[in-house]
């Protein structure tokens, strides 16, 4: 069964939710018409275990990692996970993988952080050569790469089903499509905030952006897009916050999502930030933006 990613999905953390809450959330998304649920990996739950749990409690929602860290598992292990979930959730699993960030790989996990593109290329080669002696899936699930800059985007287009850029703008989507060409999936993440007061929206947006603005990978990508050190300082300029976080009413947020589609995105996964800045997804925003509502 070929996996269809659909046009609009949701990206969110669920490490603070109980198993029943996670299942309820996934069921709600499915009922609202979202095509996919993306969950990250950092220092919490194992994302593949969570996706397997949710696959058994939903019917058609595509379940994706955004993004699983290649330094967390050797290539043989990840290849086995890929084939196993391809078998257990046919047509409903997308494996998103990435090189993460040096401070998480070296500082937290204790591994040597290598140059991103060669490291990913070597990892993909090793996955392909891995021994796997269980019954193979009828069709393997798509793999996408966390990719921001041209070399990783080109690798994603050449070796996998496509790219999942995070912390980006519609302008990045346009450039990424030009780099990758037609055909490969382009699935950017977009933070959304159902808040019309500019002062409140920017304050909440800055808080949501803070952890990412400290990462060199994201800093370098933003500078490629024309943002300056001044834009990145003090939690981010208004210009940067407005570019990264789509805030306003539902129609204004839909317009930003449309910008990504117009720029060449196949699929946009929205990350619904709560107006009060508390952890978890904003259900009100998700219902307001839902394709099926």
């Amino acid at each position: 069964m070929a996996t269809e990613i659909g046009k609009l999905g949701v990206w969110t953390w669920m490490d603070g939710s109980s198993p029943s809450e996670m299942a309820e959330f996934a069921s709600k998304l499915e009922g609202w018409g979202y095509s996919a649920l993306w969950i990250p990996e950092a220092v919490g739950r194992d994302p593949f275990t969570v996706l397997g749990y949710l696959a058994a409690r939903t019917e058609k929602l595509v379940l994706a990692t955004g993004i699983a860290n290649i330094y967390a598992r050797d290539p043989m292990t990840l290849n086995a996970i890929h084939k196993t979930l391809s078998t257990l959730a046919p047509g409903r699993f997308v494996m998103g993988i990435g090189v993460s960030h040096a401070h998480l790989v070296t500082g937290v996990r204790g591994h040597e952080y290598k140059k991103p593109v060669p490291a990913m290329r070597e990892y993909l080669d090793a996955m392909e050569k891995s021994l796997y002696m269980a019954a193979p899936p009828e069709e393997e699930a798509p793999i996408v790469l966390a990719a921001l800059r041209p070399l990783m985007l080109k690798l994603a287009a050449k070796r996998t089903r496509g790219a999942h850029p995070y912390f980006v703008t519609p302008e990045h989507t346009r450039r990424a499509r030009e780099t990758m060409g037609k055909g490969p999936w382009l699935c950017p993440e977009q933070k959304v905030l159902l808040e019309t007061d500019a002062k409140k929206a920017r304050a909440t947006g800055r808080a949501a952006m803070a952890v990412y603005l400290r990462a060199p990978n994201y800093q370098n990508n933003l500078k490629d897009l024309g943002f300056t050190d001044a834009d990145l300082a003090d939690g981010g300029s208004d210009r940067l916050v407005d570019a990264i976080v789509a805030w306003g009413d539902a129609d204004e947020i839909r317009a930003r999502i449309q910008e990504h589609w117009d720029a060449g995105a196949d699929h946009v996964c929205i990350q619904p930030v709560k107006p009060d800045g508390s952890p978890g997804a904003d259900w009100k925003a998700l219902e307001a933006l839902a394709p099926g509502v």
Side-chain angles (χ1 to χ4, degrees):
M1 181 185 297
T3 303
E4 298 293 339
I5 190 67
K7 292 193 68 175
L8 188 64
V10 174
W11 192 108
T12 192
W13 297 86
M14 293 198 294
D15 281 355
S17 301
S18 68
S20 62
E21 288 170 338
M22 290 192 296
E24 181 187 8
F25 181 75
S27 180
K28 277 283 189 184
L29 295 186
E30 195 168 62
W32 281 332
Y34 289 99
S35 59
L37 170 61
W38 299 72
I39 63 171
E41 175 176 44
V43 292
R45 290 172 175 153
D46 173 69
F48 299 112
T49 305
V50 172
L51 294 188
Y53 174 83
L54 294 178
R57 287 156 179 82
T58 50
E59 296 180 1
K60 57 185 178 181
L61 191 68
V62 173
L63 301 159
T65 48
I67 283 290
N69 185 347
I70 64 170
Y71 290 93
R73 304 159 191 87
D74 68 25
M76 185 173 177
T77 300
L78 195 63
N79 182 57
I81 292 170
H82 178 229
K83 293 184 187 305
T84 300
L85 280 175
S86 295
T87 300
L88 298 179
R92 298 184 53 210
F93 171 52
V94 173
M95 176 178 275
I97 59 176
V99 297
S100 188
H101 306 274
H103 68 283
L104 290 174
V105 172
T106 302
V108 176
R109 294 185 180 275
H111 299 303
E112 177 189 358
Y113 188 76
K114 300 177 181 179
K115 289 184 177 181
V117 175
M120 180 57 78
R121 185 182 296 113
E122 292 173 7
Y123 196 95
L124 292 172
D125 289 343
M127 279 186 69
E128 291 179 359
K129 297 174 183 176
S130 294
L131 181 64
Y132 182 76
M133 298 181 67
E138 292 185 10
E139 184 167 336
E140 293 193 1
I143 295 175
V144 296
L145 302 186
L148 293 174
R149 304 177 82 187
L151 289 179
M152 191 67 82
L153 288 166
K154 289 178 181 178
L155 182 65
K158 182 178 180 180
R159 296 289 302 275
T160 71
R161 189 65 185 85
H164 171 49
Y166 185 89
F167 206 65
V168 293
T169 67
E171 172 60 17
H172 181 275
T173 297
R174 183 189 67 78
R175 297 186 187 189
R177 177 52 72 197
E178 289 180 353
T179 298
M180 297 172 70
K182 295 180 180 180
W185 283 353
L186 181 54
C187 308
E189 173 268 351
Q190 173 65 63
K191 289 177 178 54
V192 301
L193 175 58
L194 198 60
E195 173 60 72
T196 57
D197 182 282
K199 185 176 180 179
K200 292 179 181 178
R202 287 170 177 155
T204 302
R206 283 189 178 90
M209 293 167 54
V211 66
Y212 305 109
L213 277 183
R214 295 196 291 267
N217 308 39
Y218 295 127
Q219 292 175 358
N220 292 334
N221 185 59
L222 291 171
K223 289 178 181 179
D224 285 349
L225 293 171
F227 294 99
T228 66
D229 287 332
D231 286 310
L232 274 57
D234 301 319
S237 66
D238 286 353
R239 180 171 83 105
L240 179 58
V241 174
D242 294 351
I244 291 293
V245 181
W247 58 267
D249 61 26
D251 286 340
E252 290 172 308
I253 294 172
R254 287 192 195 96
R256 177 70 65 85
I257 296 169
Q258 187 65 51
E259 286 182 47
H260 281 286
W261 287 331
D262 292 344
D266 298 286
H267 173 90
V268 178
C269 45
I270 57 173
Q271 181 177 173
V273 179
K274 291 182 178 178
D276 64 1
S278 61
D282 181 12
W283 285 45
K284 183 178 178 181
L286 288 173
E287 185 172 15
L289 299 168
V293 174

